[in-house]
């Protein structure tokens, strides 16, 4: 009886340890930690995992270029909305001293806006590939209004 109790206790401890190791967290940074990503090495395109890892960094500015109704349906928390058709008139609102991550629904409009910003002299602009669709598919949080 004593041997059975010991085996059951050992199994319970192992199962608990395995569950703890597999458990997730509410933190969206399942990839590299913020301090592990050198912002200077970001390419023109960045994936949603990288954006999730760096989005809280004060040197990063997130820009959503979708239309207001798309934004209201669901957007990355704390992102700034400037619809693509308004970007040219609102360049002064964009920081030149931060890395700008541009996103839209699937990454097409944001790629065009990123190219436009580079043409306007911004050297710190990156397109989030896959857009909000990829963000949601990866399981990252969105806010709706």
């Amino acid at each position: 009886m004593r041997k059975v109790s010991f085996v059951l206790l050992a199994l319970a401890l192992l199962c608990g340890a395995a569950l703890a190791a597999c458990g997730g967290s509410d933190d969206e940074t399942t990839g590299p930690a913020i301090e592990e990503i050198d912002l200077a090495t970001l390419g023109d395109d960045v994936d949603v995992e990288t954006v999730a890892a760096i989005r809280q960094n004060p040197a990063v500015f997130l820009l959503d270029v979708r239309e207001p109704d798309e934004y209201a349906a669901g957007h990355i928390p704390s992102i700034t909305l400037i619809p693509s058709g308004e970007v040219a008139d609102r360049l002064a609102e964009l920081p030149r001293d931060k890395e700008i991550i541009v996103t839209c629904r699937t990454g097409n409009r944001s790629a065009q806006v990123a190219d436009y910003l580079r043409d306007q002299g911004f050297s710190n602009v990156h397109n989030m590939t896959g857009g909000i669709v990829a963000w949601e598919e990866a399981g990252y949080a969105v806010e709706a209004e």
Side-chain angles (χ1 to χ4, degrees):
M1 183 63 139
R2 181 178 260 194
K3 188 174 186 178
V4 171
S5 295
F6 177 75
V7 170
L8 290 175
L9 176 62
L11 282 173
L13 289 173
L14 284 172
C15 287
L19 287 173
C22 292
S25 71
D26 291 335
D27 183 359
E28 291 183 351
T29 58
T30 57
I34 291 171
E35 55 276 352
E36 293 177 10
I37 297 175
D38 181 359
L39 297 178
T41 64
L42 293 177
D44 287 349
D45 295 311
V46 292
D47 59 31
V48 295
E49 292 80 12
T50 300
V51 175
I54 65 173
R55 74 183 193 91
Q56 298 294 336
N57 186 319
V60 172
F61 180 84
L62 298 179
L63 175 63
D64 191 326
V65 297
R66 296 177 298 154
E67 294 301 311
D69 60 322
E70 294 175 287
Y71 177 88
H75 56 271
I76 298 170
S78 303
I79 198 167
T80 298
L81 173 67
I82 301 179
S84 58
E86 298 177 20
V87 170
D89 294 330
R90 297 175 63 183
L91 289 177
E93 297 176 42
L94 301 176
R96 292 188 177 266
D97 62 341
K98 295 182 178 188
E99 298 300 316
I100 300 173
I101 309 292
V102 187
T103 190
C104 64
R105 183 177 176 277
T106 61
N108 293 324
R109 279 177 285 178
S110 55
Q112 292 172 0
V113 169
D115 286 342
Y116 172 77
L117 292 174
R118 288 185 203 103
D119 289 345
Q120 301 307 305
F122 287 84
S123 60
N124 55 339
V125 181
H126 316 277
N127 179 46
M128 186 176 87
T129 56
I132 194 75
V133 169
W135 180 269
E136 289 181 298
E137 285 176 355
Y140 297 119
V142 295
E143 293 178 336
E145 295 183 355

